[in-house]
Amino acid sequence: APKVVLITGCSSGIGLALAVKLAQDKQRRFKVIATMRNVAKKEKLETAAGAALNKTLEIKQLDVCDEKSIRSCVNSIPQRHIDILINNAGVGLIGPIECQTIEEMKAIMETNFFGVVRMIKEVLPDMKKRRSGHIVVISSVMGLQGIVFNDIYTASKFAIEGFCESLIIQALKFNIFVSLIEPGPVVTEFEMKVYEDAEKADYSQTDPETAEIFTNVYLKNSKAIFSSLGQTPEDVAEHTLKVITTAKPPFRHQTNAIYTPMTALKHADPTGALMTDSFYKMVFKYDTLLHVSLKAIRLIRWQAQKMRQGARLLGFR
Ligand code: NAD
């Protein structure tokens, strides 16, 4: 029988691309419950789904910030049976923290962290009873590495990474897999929304130097990075398909190899100096990402060798 896959945040971006990809699977391996907060925005998905609509793809309302909405969506599924839960809904926030209210920050945590926690709380007991299931979270490389002016967004993704890192050990005991997908930049409405908000924001709450760094250094570089290194949502959907169809799914999966050395910097040097120096240079001294990456790769190799030696000493082969 096809696997029941519930995806959150399917009105745009990665969620939409993934819902369509799984619903149009040639081998018909999936029955997709494509959920969105506001079903009035379903047209784009309906059009993209084409003939799959109401066959292998069904659209349902679900707001990850509303327990009632989550409960009634899950209850509407036969036997509440979900094989694969894909937590995709998420929101961004960029800028100097002096310009953000605690309420705005809490809203990010509500969606990106507690939104996923609410979903997992709802489906985990059923998965445990069936002793099978797969929980996927669309995290980010920013769940592994902080990025300037993304303080709260990064914190929300770190939070869910820590949550999943704790949960997976228990989950595995019940034959439930947990996977974090960590994309780098992806060209979706997400970045447009954060840029729009950033352009409307009032920078009088911060000093002129910070405002200047944010608008002239960060925003410009960030837009350049999105247009040069950004992946398509279809690309991320393809990676996610592979993760959910492998026999033993990975706990972490990065979709953009260019970012792997960046996220490894802190592991290569536990004092954090390599990481902070590299990022400082990248942002303020315009060192190239390549230069930093090469330095990091050399250090990581050295570190890995030391770790293997350590493991041998401890008796792990
Ligand atoms: P997007 O803005 O197109 O999609 C996010 C979706 O989540 C939207 O459809 C939005 O309506 C939905 N959503 C927001 N709040 C919700 C709620 N309370 N309940 C249900 N749905 C809600 O952006 P995207 O890039 O497709 O983002 C999808 C995921 O990918 C997010 O978790 C994001 O953090 C992550 N991500 C994005 C990028 C990127 O560069 N775009 C990079 C790494 C990770």
Side-chain angles (χ1 to χ4, degrees):
K3 289 205 165 147
V4 180
V5 187
L6 186 145
I7 312 173
T8 64
C10 292
S11 61
S12 59
I14 298 168
L16 186 147
L18 184 60
V20 171
K21 175 152 214 82
L22 301 187
Q24 294 178 346
D25 180 53
K26 294 228 164 57
Q27 299 168 54
R28 293 190 161 248
R29 287 172 291 182
F30 311 103
K31 165 95 181 71
V32 180
I33 318 282
T35 71
M36 55 185 74
R37 181 176 35 182
N38 181 1
V39 279
K41 290 191 182 162
K42 68 180 176 183
E43 212 182 295
K44 213 167 130 194
L45 175 61
E46 283 181 337
T47 311
L53 186 68
N54 298 327
K55 292 195 178 75
T56 50
L57 184 143
E58 207 180 325
I59 298 174
K60 286 185 190 277
Q61 195 276 335
L62 190 157
D63 177 350
V64 299
C65 293
D66 177 354
E67 277 172 62
K68 272 193 200 142
S69 134
I70 295 173
R71 174 74 41 93
S72 67
C73 179
V74 174
N75 281 345
S76 76
I77 297 166
Q79 286 94 46
R80 292 174 47 95
H81 186 123
I82 297 165
D83 294 295
I84 306 172
L85 164 67
I86 302 183
N87 296 284
N88 163 76
V91 283
L93 181 66
I94 55 171
I97 53 166
E98 303 92 305
C99 306
Q100 299 164 352
T101 64
I102 292 289
E103 288 315 309
E104 285 168 323
M105 296 177 182
K106 281 185 178 168
I108 304 299
M109 295 303 290
E110 270 302 318
T111 308
N112 298 4
F113 177 63
F114 288 110
V116 180
V117 174
R118 280 185 203 97
M119 292 301 301
I120 294 178
K121 265 172 75 72
E122 188 65 33
V123 306
L124 187 65
D126 298 306
M127 287 184 171
K128 279 181 167 179
K129 269 182 225 142
R130 292 196 312 269
R131 293 207 165 250
S132 85
H134 192 176
I135 294 165
V136 178
V137 178
I138 309 297
S139 174
S140 167
V141 288
M142 289 196 223
L144 301 168
Q145 173 62 57
I147 295 290
V148 65
F149 292 124
N150 278 271
D151 317 75
I152 299 301
Y153 176 72
T154 297
S156 74
K157 293 294 189 185
F158 266 57
I160 201 58
E161 290 257 345
F163 176 90
C164 291
E165 209 172 274
S166 299
L167 185 73
I168 182 159
I169 304 304
Q170 185 210 142
L172 284 172
K173 186 79 180 76
F174 293 86
N175 194 37
I176 298 163
F177 292 100
V178 179
S179 298
L180 293 157
I181 310 275
E182 293 145 343
V186 187
V187 182
T188 63
E189 283 175 29
F190 192 86
E191 43 145 355
M192 288 187 300
K193 283 178 214 159
V194 289
Y195 290 150
E196 262 170 36
D197 291 346
E199 267 145 36
K200 281 188 290 198
D202 169 17
Y203 297 110
S204 63
Q205 295 300 309
T206 189
D207 60 281
E209 192 179 348
T210 308
E212 157 78 17
I213 296 168
F214 176 63
T215 49
N216 277 336
V217 180
Y218 176 81
L219 281 182
K220 275 190 193 144
N221 282 349
S222 172
K223 284 180 186 166
I225 286 172
F226 265 93
S227 55
S228 59
L229 303 177
Q231 284 179 291
T232 63
E234 289 73 24
D235 214 355
V236 177
E238 183 65 42
H239 278 263
T240 308
L241 171 67
K242 282 195 185 127
V243 166
I244 63 171
T245 50
T246 41
K248 197 170 183 294
F251 175 56
R252 290 201 161 95
H253 178 79
Q254 292 187 25
T255 64
N256 191 334
I258 294 168
Y259 281 83
T260 305
M262 180 188 97
T263 59
L265 290 172
K266 67 173 124 188
H267 301 293
D269 172 13
T271 73
L274 175 66
M275 186 262 300
T276 50
D277 290 353
S278 305
F279 279 93
Y280 188 88
K281 282 189 192 137
M282 243 191 274
V283 177
F284 297 117
K285 300 220 158 97
Y286 311 104
D287 252 25
T288 65
L289 187 62
L290 183 71
H291 172 79
V292 171
S293 299
L294 288 175
K295 193 171 159 193
I297 288 164
R298 277 198 295 274
L299 263 148
I300 291 158
R301 283 207 187 118
W302 177 81
Q303 189 80 11
Q305 203 185 335
K306 291 278 161 222
M307 282 164 72
R308 278 195 298 272
Q309 277 170 9
R312 266 200 300 274
L313 280 174
L314 289 168
F316 302 106
R317 41 177 174 156

